[in-house]
Amino acid sequence: MSQSLSGQLVNLLAAFLLLLAFEMLSQRRILTLIRLLAWQGAALAASTLIVAYSTGQTHLYFSAVLTLVLKVILIPWVLHRLIDQLHVRWDVETLINIPTTMLIGIGLVIFAFALAAPISEMASTITRSTLGIALASVLLSFLTMIVRRKAVPQVIGFLAMENGLFFAATSATYGMPLVVELGVALDVLVGTFIFGIFFFHIREQFDSLDIRHMEKLKED
Amino acid sequence: MEIALVLGVPLLGGLLLALVGHTRRAPEFNALMSLITLGAAALLTGRVIADGPITALEEQFFVDSFNMFLVALTAFVAFTTALFSRPYMRIEEHHGRVNSARLRLYHSMYQLFTFTMLLCLLSNNVGILWVAMEGATLTTVLLVSLYRTPASLEAAWKYFILCSVGIAQALFGVILLYFAAEKVLGPGGTALLWTHLHEVRNELEPTVLSLAFVFLLVGFGTKVGLVPLHNWLPDAHAEGPTPISAVLSGLLLNVALYAVIRSKVLVDGALQSNLSGALMMGFGLLSVVVAAFFLSRQKDIKRMFAYSSIEHMGLMTFAFGMGGPVAAFAGLLHMTVHSLTKSAIFFAVGHASQATGTQNMESIRGLIRQSPTIGWGLALGSLAILGMPPFGVFTSEFMVLTTAMHEHAWATPFLLVALGVAFAAIFGKVQPMVFGETTAQRLPHPPALVPVFVHLTIVLVLGLYIPPYLVDWYRQAAALIG
């Protein structure tokens, strides 16, 4: 695969990642949110794989496999099981309405590109133009977390932010040292499990809150 | 070797306590593991004093005078807190707030939390430091939510989300740092090692590093509890078990500040300007002032002292932001005395709220009648934290103030007003809690008061006389980061 072709493929995947981040921002169904998260992980794994192949950075193969197993299969599966057991399908409460959120999101993307521009120029990697996109998807996921009031979408936003950060690491520097990536992956995994435990505790403690919420929905 | 012990003992302790479950001797075992860790830290300290800075395991770990004193302090306070938590948690069990499953979680997580903090301090790798810091967040989230009350769950959730988001910003900072370092040091493991970064700090790309520092400061600053990133801190301190409030305030905030200071040294080298110092001074001063004014509005005793921690972390950040040998010395001394005093206060506060069955300050009265030691511990601890001479906090605050007057005269009025407001608030609230008609009941188990007075004695001694080797130690550390 030639350098320019792989570069274009990575750019395409980066654009896909950004599109997914916007989609997550506007999405209200939790199942779809999880599916989008898995797609984001897949795009991340694919771009890592392409970079690994075209630059010969062998540790990136490992990182790609790790991303695939953790972010495309394991974490979405855990989240699926959780929401099945918790019977939460919808997340209707957003702090600001969706069109306004999208406008803020566009603003964030412009900001991210301005911020990343001087750094992108210094980068010598084939993926340098994607650093702005990586930063933009981090900020968009951050926004997703802020505007949601419910626990599950907040966590999905957090995981999406982690995806953006990994993408930034591969765009700027062909990934961080393996030991660090492993450590970060471990933290994310443990974090997801703790989040899972928390969902149950929260439901147990705030049970009445949830019921009232459902009654309110019926009244509408 | 010593490093392996310092890190291995709490890790092993945490795993054992998780596996064995809650035996009757778990609190003693917890304290014993902390004691061995402290012993290993003492050995390590001895070796660093004798041989100078060391690196170990292919440079993955390193110790110099700056992180050494924090390792010693962390191991010490972790041990005394383990001693305090033995009777404290026993009384909590007696009151039915925790059961044996929770205690198992508590003891295991306590050791793992100590492990993550020590790993943060000893790791030479910025990436591993990040991983350990996130690990510390994960363990403490479980500890803060130990009581599983709605309030504690809410506090833990807020803590989890805010600190994870904050620390994700720090990860972006680490990525940028690696990006800049990789150009100089080449790709691979060495480009994230503090020791290597420190050597080439003048060659690092200034634009990238200034951006990296903003992310690192915001990220780790969330964990330090700097205003306006402090929202998680009062909740987490108020709703978790008191021994955890003590180690959160006394130790974890220091560890996060340590990461900020190490980053500042690199950025200063690359930028040759005072950008990082100015940012830290700004955040620090804002924290001092805002926290001081929030102090007087608190009703919950643990929340009040949590705000006091924000104030003191702000003061330290300000001091390190000013830089220079005197301010850095003052900052390091303040780190030490604040850790010791604040944990002592939380020990006393913990027993005080157990004896009165409330954390509401208006309902805590006359502690000195029922239990003179709790009352005196709270009274003396509060005087110490307010910077009354002859306690050590006075020395460090005085040094920060005089340096500020010399170098940044504009900041002194803010600092003086804030310290005055904090004094009025805390003194006015603590005084009726200590004296007068009592609302306190006798505790079902004898309270742990030795740790309180050991800490306060050390703080008092540090105010009257700092041993020469400690002065040397602080000077060396101040030279490293000044």
Side-chain angles (χ1 to χ4, degrees):
Chain A
M1 200 166 11
S2 72
Q3 284 280 359
S4 70
L5 177 64
S6 53
Q8 277 167 19
L9 273 178
V10 173
N11 280 348
L12 186 70
L13 287 169
F16 186 50
L17 209 70
L18 189 64
L19 203 68
L20 286 173
F22 265 112
E23 190 64 33
M24 285 172 106
L25 200 56
S26 64
Q27 186 55 245
R28 289 171 169 191
R29 250 186 116 220
I30 290 179
L31 269 178
T32 322
L33 265 179
I34 296 173
R35 200 159 59 230
L36 291 171
L37 183 74
W39 273 110
Q40 219 180 31
L44 183 62
S47 73
T48 315
L49 200 66
I50 293 167
V51 175
Y53 180 75
S54 60
T55 61
Q57 299 274 336
T58 39
H59 81 272
L60 281 183
Y61 284 114
F62 192 81
S63 163
V65 173
L66 192 71
T67 310
L68 189 73
V69 173
L70 200 65
K71 293 183 172 168
V72 185
I73 302 166
L74 193 60
I75 290 180
W77 180 74
V78 171
L79 287 171
H80 260 287
R81 292 216 41 188
L82 277 174
I83 62 156
D84 275 349
Q85 285 170 8
L86 290 164
H87 305 291
V88 279
R89 298 274 150 166
W90 291 83
D91 160 49
V92 274
E93 263 180 70
T94 48
L95 226 60
I96 322 169
N97 66 36
I98 303 258
T100 321
T101 322
M102 297 303 260
L103 282 176
I104 300 173
I106 292 168
L108 280 179
V109 174
I110 296 168
F111 173 71
F113 271 80
L115 208 60
I119 300 166
S120 294
E121 275 169 28
M122 276 172 238
S124 50
T125 52
I126 56 163
T127 48
R128 61 184 200 168
S129 47
T130 55
L131 190 65
I133 294 185
L135 186 56
S137 52
V138 171
L139 292 178
L140 285 176
S141 316
F142 194 20
L143 185 64
T144 313
M145 285 183 80
I146 295 172
V147 296
R148 305 292 175 135
R149 291 239 97 156
K150 290 295 187 61
V152 184
Q154 273 188 354
V155 171
I156 295 174
F158 171 70
L159 292 166
M161 188 154 70
E162 213 81 56
N163 282 346
L165 285 166
F166 266 85
F167 194 67
T170 28
S171 346
T173 60
Y174 296 147
M176 285 193 288
L178 196 58
V179 55
V180 178
E181 282 201 11
L182 276 177
V184 176
L186 180 74
D187 275 342
V188 172
L189 188 64
V190 175
T192 313
F193 279 109
I194 297 183
F195 275 129
I197 301 169
F198 252 80
F199 291 155
F200 286 99
H201 292 323
I202 289 177
R203 195 185 56 161
E204 198 180 302
Q205 284 297 340
F206 296 95
D207 209 24
S208 58
L209 238 158
D210 255 322
I211 290 167
R212 235 189 304 148
H213 186 187
M214 285 173 187
E215 280 171 356
K216 228 191 270 169
L217 275 182
K218 271 181 205 156
E219 280 167 17
D220 282 340
Chain B
M1 182 56 210
E2 286 91 345
I3 293 181
L5 261 180
V6 171
L7 293 175
V9 173
L11 182 60
L12 184 74
L15 297 178
L16 280 178
L17 281 164
L19 282 177
V20 176
H22 182 62
T23 62
R24 217 165 48 80
R25 291 278 155 234
E28 283 81 5
F29 185 70
N30 187 36
L32 178 71
M33 290 318 254
S34 298
L35 181 64
I36 301 174
T37 313
L38 176 61
L43 283 179
L44 183 63
T45 313
R47 215 178 120 199
V48 174
I49 289 177
D51 302 354
I54 48 175
T55 57
L57 205 95
E58 293 169 347
E59 300 185 286
Q60 284 302 313
F61 297 99
F62 86 122
V63 193
D64 61 18
S65 31
F66 179 27
N67 58 1
M68 191 59 244
F69 101 89
L70 282 171
V71 169
L73 183 69
T74 303
F76 178 72
V77 177
F79 168 61
T80 49
T81 308
L83 282 184
F84 161 70
S85 83
R86 197 180 70 94
Y88 181 85
M89 293 314 278
R90 190 165 283 168
I91 297 168
E92 292 293 274
E93 200 181 4
H94 184 95
H95 287 170
R97 297 187 70 188
V98 284
N99 54 27
S100 61
R102 304 272 172 76
L103 281 175
R104 172 179 175 175
L105 178 76
Y106 172 82
H107 287 121
S108 166
M109 283 303 140
Y110 185 83
Q111 287 294 323
L112 289 181
F113 172 52
T114 317
F115 165 73
T116 50
M117 279 194 294
L118 291 168
L119 181 61
C120 267
L121 292 170
L122 286 169
S123 176
N124 195 5
N125 190 320
V126 191
I128 298 298
L129 178 138
W130 186 90
V131 171
M133 190 86 83
E134 176 72 4
T137 310
L138 296 178
T139 51
T140 36
V141 161
L142 290 176
L143 287 169
V144 168
S145 64
L146 193 76
Y147 294 137
R148 308 272 160 83
T149 56
S152 73
L153 278 176
E154 194 189 326
W157 183 259
K158 206 167 162 187
Y159 171 49
F160 198 176
I161 293 287
L162 281 176
C163 280
S164 296
V165 168
I167 212 151
Q169 314 300 313
L171 184 60
F172 193 72
V174 174
I175 291 169
L176 290 175
L177 190 61
Y178 181 65
F179 169 71
E182 187 214 34
K183 300 216 167 312
V184 184
L185 292 164
T190 58
L192 274 179
L193 300 185
W194 287 123
T195 42
H196 289 245
L197 287 167
H198 196 258
E199 275 164 27
V200 299
R201 65 189 194 280
N202 295 327
E203 298 162 44
L204 299 174
E205 183 60 50
T207 342
V208 182
L209 271 222
S210 51
L211 191 59
F213 183 72
V214 173
F215 278 97
L216 289 170
L217 179 66
V218 169
F220 292 131
T222 311
K223 202 98 179 138
V224 181
L226 296 177
V227 175
L229 312 159
H230 68 286
N231 272 318
W232 63 274
L233 196 146
D235 294 330
H237 281 62
E239 300 304 335
T242 309
I244 300 312
S245 316
V247 277
L248 276 179
S249 255
L251 301 177
L252 187 62
L253 305 184
N254 273 355
V255 173
L257 186 59
Y258 162 83
V260 174
I261 297 166
R262 285 268 188 223
S263 323
K264 174 184 185 279
V265 176
L266 295 180
V267 178
D268 280 348
L271 256 58
Q272 307 291 351
S273 77
N274 196 29
L275 171 80
S276 57
L279 276 174
M280 283 174 73
M281 278 162 61
F283 269 105
L285 201 59
L286 185 67
S287 308
V288 175
V289 174
V290 171
F293 282 95
F294 269 98
L295 271 173
S296 54
R297 290 170 38 185
Q298 301 310 312
K299 293 197 164 59
D300 182 306
I301 185 164
K302 283 167 81 182
R303 274 185 93 83
M304 183 176 79
F305 284 109
Y307 272 104
S308 153
S309 289
I310 299 176
E311 186 206 346
H312 286 273
M313 293 321 284
L315 196 66
M316 286 174 226
T317 311
F318 179 79
F320 289 116
M322 279 197 294
V326 184
F329 185 103
L332 296 168
L333 181 64
H334 201 77
M335 265 178 154
T336 317
V337 288
H338 173 255
S339 284
L340 293 169
T341 318
K342 191 50 69 60
S343 41
I345 290 176
F346 272 117
F347 298 160
V349 162
H351 280 319
S353 60
Q354 280 182 329
T356 52
T358 176
Q359 285 180 203
N360 187 341
M361 287 190 277
E362 311 220 319
S363 313
I364 303 176
R365 287 289 177 265
L367 288 170
I368 223 157
R369 291 256 171 117
Q370 178 56 250
S371 169
T373 38
I374 297 176
W376 279 115
L378 183 61
L380 291 175
S382 305
L383 286 179
I385 206 73
L386 289 169
M388 279 279 106
F391 287 103
V393 184
F394 171 74
T395 321
S396 52
E397 282 188 353
F398 188 74
M399 283 166 81
V400 175
L401 275 175
T402 44
T403 321
M405 278 176 203
H406 274 296
E407 289 172 18
H408 303 279
W410 55 270
T412 19
F414 294 104
L415 287 175
L416 284 173
V417 168
L419 290 178
V421 170
F423 188 93
I426 294 186
F427 193 74
K429 292 200 170 166
V430 166
Q431 200 258 347
M433 281 195 277
V434 175
F435 302 103
E437 282 302 312
T438 187
T439 57
Q441 305 288 318
R442 177 163 278 284
L443 289 170
H445 293 279
L449 289 155
V450 178
V452 182
F453 291 102
V454 169
H455 282 199
L456 290 179
T457 311
I458 299 175
V459 175
L460 183 66
V461 170
L462 283 176
L464 297 169
Y465 166 77
I466 307 178
Y469 65 87
L470 201 60
V471 174
D472 276 348
W473 202 349
Y474 283 142
R475 279 214 183 109
Q476 278 174 28
L480 275 174
I481 58 179

